[in-house]
Every structure is written in C-alpha cells, then in structure tokens.
C-alpha cells in the first residue's frame, strides 16, 4: 500500500493544494483584512492571487490615507498611522520606509521612487499618486484609487471562488476514484493470494 501512496503522491499533493485554496478562498472571503494575515504570505508567490492581495492592501491604504488627509493630518503622520493598521507586513515596511523618506525631506514622488518594491507596488498606483500630488488633489486621487482597487479585488475574488470550487470538486472526485481503485486492487491481490 505504501508503494501506491508513493506512486500517486503528485495527485494527493495536487488535491491538497486545491483543497487549501478552496478553504482559503471561502474562509477569508468575508473578512476585510484577509490579505494581511499569515495565510496571505505564501499566496504572494502565486501571480494571479498576488494581484488580488496587492489590490486589497493598496485599496485599504489609499482609503485610510484619503480619510486622514481629508481630516487635515500631515502626510508623514498619516503614513505612520497606516503602519499600525491591518495591512500585510510587507506594506507596513514599505509605508515605514516611505514615511522616513518624507521625513528626510524628499517629496512624495521621490519617496515613491526610492521605496517602491516591484511586485508589491504597481506602476499604475505610483502614477496616479504622482498625478494627484502634482495636481494638488491627492486626497481625491487616493479615494479614486481605493474605489478602483477595491472593485478589482472583489472581481478577482469572485472569479477565484467561481474557479476554485468546481476544480476542488473535480479533484475530490478524482481522489475518491483513485482511492477506490487502489482498494479494489488490494482486494483483488488479497483474494488471488488466498486462492493460490
């Protein structure tokens, strides 16, 4: 039996991965801060899901900055307040570095250029923030960014749930069929050994 488990380990691993993705999608779909938890860290290496996590976190950051800047909080203090909220640790580090860059006398554009991390901060985000700063409409642009990224994150989540559930059902069916075939092969082998 162990040799069959060793032979079929890729199918079991694939099934386990699909079940994990199903669980993660269903468990964290309703939570607002699901993209900031420890479950989100390994998912940053999956390209399409990384886009979902990036949009979710940047949407939250832009919305918080929009509200704080509208209330008259200076940008460096607003960035400091955002670091203590429910965002992914990589974004907390980025916000801290951006805050220190601004405290050092750099403009927002220069700070974004120096602290930007590929894969976590898209070019569109940087371009829109720079355009908002240049036009003197940074809070309004941050509100627009938050709305757009929140809608994109919700669309990606709906697509993920729509894809993962049927694939998970097919994988469970495949695993069940493989286990039944393995059980029948063992029973046939046992009955042949008893007849001889």
């Amino acid at each position: 039996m162990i040799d069959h488990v060793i032979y079929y380990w890729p199918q079991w691993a694939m099934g386990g991965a699909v079940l994990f993705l199903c669980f993660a999608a269903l468990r964290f779909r309703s939570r607002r801060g699901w993209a900031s938890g420890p479950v989100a860290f390994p998912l940053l290496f999956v390209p399409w899901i990384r886009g979902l996590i990036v949009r979710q976190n940047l949407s939250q950051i832009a919305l918080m900055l929009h509200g704080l800047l509208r209330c008259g909080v200076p940008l460096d203090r607003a960035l400091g307040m955002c670091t203590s909220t429910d965002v992914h640790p990589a974004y907390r580090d980025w916000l801290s570095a951006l805050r220190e860059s601004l405290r050092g006398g750099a403009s927002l554009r220069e700070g974004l250029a120096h602290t930007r991390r590929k894969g976590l901060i898209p070019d569109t985000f940087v371009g829109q923030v720079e355009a908002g700063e240049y036009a003197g409409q940074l809070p309004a642009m941050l509100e627009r960014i938050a709305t757009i990224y929140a809608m994109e994150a919700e669309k990606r989540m709906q697509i993920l749930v729509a894809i993962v559930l049927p694939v998970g059902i097919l994988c469970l069916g495949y695993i069940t069929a493989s286990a039944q075939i393995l059980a029948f092969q063992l029973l046939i082998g046992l009955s042949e050994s008893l007849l001889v």
Side-chain angles (χ1 to χ4, degrees):
M1 176 159 173
I2 292 178
D3 59 337
H4 289 290
V5 173
I6 293 171
Y7 180 73
Y8 290 112
W9 78 267
Q11 290 92 358
W12 292 101
M14 180 187 68
V18 169
L19 287 175
F20 172 75
L21 287 176
C22 286
F23 172 75
L26 290 176
R27 170 76 172 91
F28 300 106
R29 181 177 183 203
S30 61
R31 288 181 55 194
R32 287 194 58 86
W34 72 271
S36 63
V39 174
F41 181 74
L43 296 177
L44 280 175
F45 298 106
V46 180
W48 194 81
I49 296 176
R50 179 179 59 225
L52 172 66
I53 294 170
V54 165
R55 281 160 180 77
Q56 180 72 26
N57 280 288
L58 288 178
S59 169
Q60 289 177 359
I61 291 169
L63 190 62
M64 286 183 282
L65 285 175
H66 158 71
L68 291 170
L69 292 176
R70 281 281 166 109
C71 292
V73 177
L75 183 58
D76 64 332
R77 283 192 59 211
L79 289 170
M81 293 170 133
C82 288
T83 58
S84 61
T85 59
D86 192 24
V87 293
H88 195 277
Y91 287 98
R92 281 191 209 124
D93 295 342
W94 170 69
L95 288 170
S96 296
L98 182 60
R99 180 181 184 206
E100 292 304 316
S101 177
L102 292 178
R103 283 185 164 183
S107 68
L108 182 59
R109 179 180 176 200
E110 293 169 348
L112 285 172
H114 288 96
T115 61
R116 190 169 139 226
R117 297 177 183 173
K118 282 288 188 189
L120 292 179
I121 313 296
D123 294 334
T124 55
F125 179 82
V126 173
Q128 289 176 343
V129 169
E130 287 176 357
E133 181 191 29
Y134 182 75
Q137 299 293 321
L138 186 59
M141 185 60 77
L142 287 170
E143 182 181 23
R144 182 172 181 240
I145 292 169
T147 304
I148 290 170
Y149 278 12
M151 288 180 358
E152 287 180 8
E154 184 61 32
K155 284 180 189 175
R156 282 183 180 239
M157 182 58 82
Q158 290 173 355
I159 291 169
L160 180 66
V161 169
I163 289 173
V164 167
L165 289 177
V167 169
I169 290 170
L170 287 175
C171 288
L172 282 175
Y174 178 76
I175 290 170
T176 304
S178 298
Q180 287 180 352
I181 290 171
L182 180 62
F184 282 126
Q185 286 176 346
L186 289 174
L187 288 175
I188 290 171
L190 184 62
S191 64
E192 286 178 355
S193 67
L194 290 176
L195 291 175
V196 173

